[in-house]
Amino acid sequence: MSAFGSLLPPPLDERRGIPLYYRKSEEEVRQDVYERYDELVARQTALHLADELHGGYPLQPLADYLQPWIPAGPARAVADVGCSVGRLVGDIALAHPDWDCYGIDFSYQMLRQGRDYWTAGKSVSANLLRYGYPLESFTGHQLPNLQFALADAAALPFPDHSLDLLINTFLIDRLPDARRAFTEWQRVVKPGGRVVMVSPLNFLKQKQWEHFHPPIKIVDHLLREGWQLLDLTDPLDLEEPMDKRGNVVRWRTLALVLER
Ligand SMILES: C[S@@+](CC[C@H](N)C(=O)[O-])C[C@H]1O[C@@H](n2cnc3c(N)ncnc32)[C@H](O)[C@@H]1O
């Protein structure tokens, strides 16, 4: 394996150490709910980086689902697309110090929080006082083998056939055209490489519901595109804590493991 981060080409631009492979306009930033530091970034931080607030990682069943599909062996290249603050790929990078790991997202604010926590060794906090949580900070890591980058899930900065594992969780129903992303993932994953995809299929657009509901339509589409299905779990039930009281959002996700 060559140097960590070496799969990434020179970026279009860079912002505080985060390479940018897409130039978002001011309007795009304004419209993007995931750029809202005090709202969704805080919620993602509390969900993914603040286990002590919840007595454990609330999405542990998601991590448990992923675990057996992480390929064995040395020198793997792994990306989490739509990684937000980078929990799943951060844990993989921690467990495999010789693997080359990437967290890709379209939100600079999410990536900055992820970068601060996982690679810059800073403490991060999530101000969720209005949900009853105390204001605490969570100390991060200084992982040399994890690189965050801003890119579109459907236009990734990786070379052809360069990744052993691409994961994406709670992403595809947020994309304007998930099928473009599926095609792109086929380009970047190695033959024999895997995609693990977990989504509540809570689409935002009517067109997406038409394309992908019921979920057999997604599976049909992926099989037609040449993927092999290694696992289908439906539902994989996950709970997202909402407040200190214990209110939760219950997500009924579809989990797929595909091999190229
Ligand atoms: C609902 S959050 C899920 C985050 C995390 N993967 C999880 O499981 O909780 C969706 C994430 O996808 C990112 N995202 C949305 N559109 C994207 C795109 N076109 N390319 C890459 N990431 C995108 C958002 O910025 C956000 O961080």
Side-chain angles (χ1 to χ4, degrees), residues 199 201 215-216 231-236 252-255:
S199 172
L201 307 178
I216 190 67
D231 185 67
L232 183 160
T233 298
D234 187 17
L236 173 66
R252 191 163 189 269
T253 70
L254 168 73

Side-chain angles (χ1 to χ4, degrees), residues 4 17 22 25 42 47 52 82 86-88 115 126-127 131 144 148 152 178 188 192 195 223 228 242 247 253:
F4 294 138
Y22 183 96
S25 66
L47 177 64
E52 46 269 63
R87 171 63 185 252
L88 295 176
R115 194 272 320 266
N127 185 348
Y131 298 105
F148 289 96
D152 181 0
V188 297
V195 167
L223 294 179
Q228 278 189 60
M242 298 307 290
N247 290 305
T253 70

